[in-house]
Amino acid sequence: MVVAPLLAARGLTAVRAIDGRDVRVLDGVDLKLAPGDIAELRGPSGAGKTTLLLAIARLLPGAGGSLALAGESADATDPAVWRTKVALLPQRTALFPGTVEENLLLPFALKSRDGATPPSAEALRAALDDVGLSDVALDRDTARLSVGQAARVALLRVLLTAPRVLLLDEPDASLDDASAAAVAAMTARFAEAGGAVLRVSHLRADAAATVRLHLEGGRLGGGDRDDR
Amino acid sequence: MTAEGAVVIGWPQLLLAASFMLITGALSVAIGLGLVKDLAVASVRTYVQLLALGLVLRWVFSVRLWWVVVVLLGVMTVVATRIVVKRAPDAPGGLFGSALFSMAITAITVTFAVTALIVRVPVWYEPRYVIPIAGMVLGNSMTGIALALERLFSDLDSRTGEILALTALGADRWEAARASVRMALRAGLIPTINSMAAAGIVFIPGMMTGQVLAGADPLEATKYQIVVMLMVSAATAIGSILAVMLSYRRAFTADGVFLEKGLRGPAS
């Protein structure tokens, strides 16, 4: 019996105009992620790591190739609904003006998540405590969070929506070691619960990674699977 | 030669008014502002354009043909739309159509609502009323629409990171753009709201000044001015809302992905 992978990408292509000429940033990238996978994506600067994440999240205009989630083709899914299941956390933390609670609840007010029940204030409190943010009040203005706190709130905002696949773009790029460790722990727990993670890493290697990928010249190498 | 007690300005006196500009020009030379040429060109344009306008209006008012009024309104709307599009350089291509539609709908509904329901002119195309009122409606909604569109796209661009995060969380185009739409509409409407609040205390509105100088009773002129101010506000609001709601989508792909400034293509 062949089990369909959680996420399957085939022949992803992307062309970008750089200095007046078209460069194939992604030149036929194939990728499969199984439940529980934490795939670490590395590659030289400008190799298209972010572009690959955007393409998988269907956030890249003009990207080619095919995507499927749990065997279901992306073509059959509304792009906004796809993004609720294959969730990208952009590199630059973008919390919106307002309180921590408003930010955590925002995804549940979107039409693409119509019918989903937003978590209660108690659940939000517990979730914050869980990721080492017990000193952050729900009504704290996001402008008054430290960089490390904001990064964890932004990651929590995505995790609370229970996506199937998590795409992280250098989630710990500007974090101290303690915050980075908290982010890694949050990611690991998501994978243990059956999610799949694709994470661009630049500084630190993720010790929990089960797959290591290397993107260069528009093509994906590696794919060595660490058995835990 | 007086009409209803108004003193008529003679041609020699009209030329005499140019001496104001001679004084300004002399000052410009003395201080070295380097504005003499601009002042001269602007002064000549004021004379030529306004006298031409007077002659055209005198003809339009005397022939009283419905199609002449319609053609004139069409030309005014197209010119106003071109100015709007030019003032929003960050806007994506294809803006002209939605701006023209917004201007036209606003001008037609507000102008004819005023002439038919409030002024109650006996002939629907009565040029003496329709043309000046349409001019004020278009002129003011033009400014509002231009401000709103300019702000819409500059605010969207300043929120690129936020919009990416929102879209990644599953937001559609409207949900991602909403905060910028709000900002844009506020920017378009605030000047009008401010001028309504200051009218009569800080300044005597231009239209009322004109009527009073032409010999009208100040209270009668006031009534007209109130109608004009409310009409102009409504026109600015309707025009800005239409234009912004019709054009924010152009900054996104059909899949709901925000296109940054460099990816949107030039305005047309």
Side-chain angles (χ1 to χ4, degrees):
Chain A
M1 195 178 79
V2 181
V3 180
L6 185 52
L7 178 82
R10 277 190 69 84
L12 292 185
T13 57
V15 176
R16 204 189 319 160
I18 298 171
D19 298 335
R21 61 193 184 88
D22 286 343
V23 176
R24 287 183 86 84
V25 186
L26 301 179
D27 191 13
V29 169
D30 298 331
L31 176 71
K32 280 181 183 158
L33 292 179
D37 271 345
I38 297 179
E40 188 178 57
L41 179 62
R42 293 175 159 267
S45 184
K49 301 185 291 293
T50 299
T51 306
L52 178 58
L53 295 194
L54 289 171
I56 295 174
R58 295 176 68 186
L59 281 165
L60 190 69
S66 68
L67 290 163
L69 182 70
E72 198 174 328
S73 165
D75 301 333
T77 314
D78 176 79
V81 174
W82 173 269
R83 290 174 205 130
T84 65
K85 297 173 179 167
V86 180
L88 168 76
L89 184 66
Q91 181 180 1
R92 231 180 46 202
T93 303
L95 294 177
F96 311 116
T99 65
V100 169
E101 183 172 16
E102 284 163 358
N103 266 271
L104 294 176
L105 291 179
L106 182 134
F108 296 92
L110 300 175
K111 268 196 291 250
S112 56
R113 228 174 252 102
D114 195 24
T117 321
S120 64
E122 294 78 52
L124 293 181
R125 183 67 264 161
L128 282 173
D129 294 345
D130 233 20
V131 296
L133 292 175
S134 44
D135 54 337
V136 172
L138 279 172
D139 60 359
R140 169 94 69 99
D141 193 292
T142 52
R144 292 184 49 247
L145 293 172
S146 74
V147 175
Q149 289 169 333
R152 272 178 277 173
V153 170
L155 178 55
L156 191 58
R157 183 173 63 187
V158 176
L159 289 175
L160 283 171
T161 67
R164 307 288 302 277
V165 177
L166 191 56
L167 307 168
L168 301 176
D169 195 355
E170 297 198 42
D172 53 7
S174 52
L175 301 187
D176 58 65
D177 287 339
S179 298
V183 165
M186 290 166 80
T187 311
R189 220 165 346 144
F190 170 78
E192 275 161 26
V197 179
L198 176 59
R199 115 177 230 176
V200 172
S201 298
H202 190 62
L203 292 174
R204 304 175 179 88
D206 190 337
T210 55
V211 186
R212 296 185 197 280
L213 303 164
H214 189 83
L215 185 67
E216 192 160 6
R219 291 185 171 272
L220 204 54
D224 310 326
R225 203 165 277 271
D226 295 358
D227 285 313
R228 278 188 291 181
Chain B
M1 242 181 69
T2 56
E4 293 170 32
V7 179
V8 168
I9 297 177
W11 293 104
Q13 282 74 32
L14 190 61
L15 282 176
L16 192 61
S19 56
F20 288 122
M21 296 322 290
L22 290 180
I23 297 169
T24 317
L27 283 173
S28 167
V29 171
I31 310 173
L33 289 180
L35 284 175
V36 174
K37 201 179 148 198
D38 294 331
L39 281 170
V41 171
S43 305
V44 172
R45 283 188 68 153
T46 303
Y47 275 96
V48 173
Q49 287 173 192
L50 290 181
L51 286 173
L53 174 72
L55 288 171
V56 169
L57 288 183
R58 179 185 264 185
W59 176 74
V60 173
F61 290 0
S62 65
V63 294
R64 292 184 72 208
L65 289 168
W66 68 268
W67 62 267
V68 172
V69 174
V70 169
V71 167
L72 201 57
L73 289 184
V75 171
M76 287 160 69
T77 310
V78 169
V79 171
T81 307
R82 286 180 60 102
I83 294 173
V84 164
V85 174
K86 230 185 255 173
R87 281 199 215 158
D90 295 343
L95 194 69
F96 189 85
S98 45
L100 182 66
F101 179 78
S102 312
M103 297 284 290
I105 292 286
T106 308
I108 291 168
T109 50
V110 178
T111 302
F112 289 106
V114 169
T115 54
L117 303 175
I118 297 174
V119 184
R120 288 191 285 187
V121 292
V123 191
W124 68 267
Y125 57 85
E126 183 57 71
R128 185 175 289 277
Y129 290 91
V130 170
I131 300 290
I133 287 176
M136 282 188 280
V137 167
L138 280 169
N140 286 280
S141 58
M142 174 184 85
T143 309
I145 291 174
L147 273 174
L149 286 178
E150 196 277 322
R151 179 63 68 88
L152 173 67
F153 293 104
S154 65
D155 197 71
L156 283 171
D157 285 329
S158 72
R159 290 177 57 237
T160 302
E162 201 176 308
I163 290 175
L164 175 64
L166 269 169
T167 313
L169 285 169
D172 61 20
R173 292 182 283 191
W174 166 244
E175 289 164 333
R178 189 163 45 197
S180 297
V181 167
R182 255 177 63 95
M183 286 293 290
L185 291 179
R186 290 180 62 88
L189 294 185
I190 279 175
T192 310
I193 294 170
N194 285 347
S195 81
M196 277 171 80
I201 298 175
V202 182
F203 67 99
I204 302 180
M207 194 225 71
M208 195 174 150
T209 309
Q211 280 200 322
V212 170
L213 283 177
D217 171 49
L219 190 60
E220 291 306 314
T222 303
K223 288 186 195 165
Y224 256 94
Q225 188 60 55
I226 290 172
V227 169
V228 164
M229 291 221 108
L230 297 182
M231 151 192 113
V232 156
S233 306
T236 309
I238 297 170
S240 308
I241 291 170
L242 270 177
V244 166
M245 294 309 279
L246 286 173
S247 44
Y248 80 87
R249 279 191 191 86
R250 292 183 181 279
F252 293 84
T253 66
D255 280 355
V257 181
F258 178 64
L259 294 168
E260 288 170 49
K261 198 166 154 184
L263 300 172
R264 289 203 289 265
S268 62

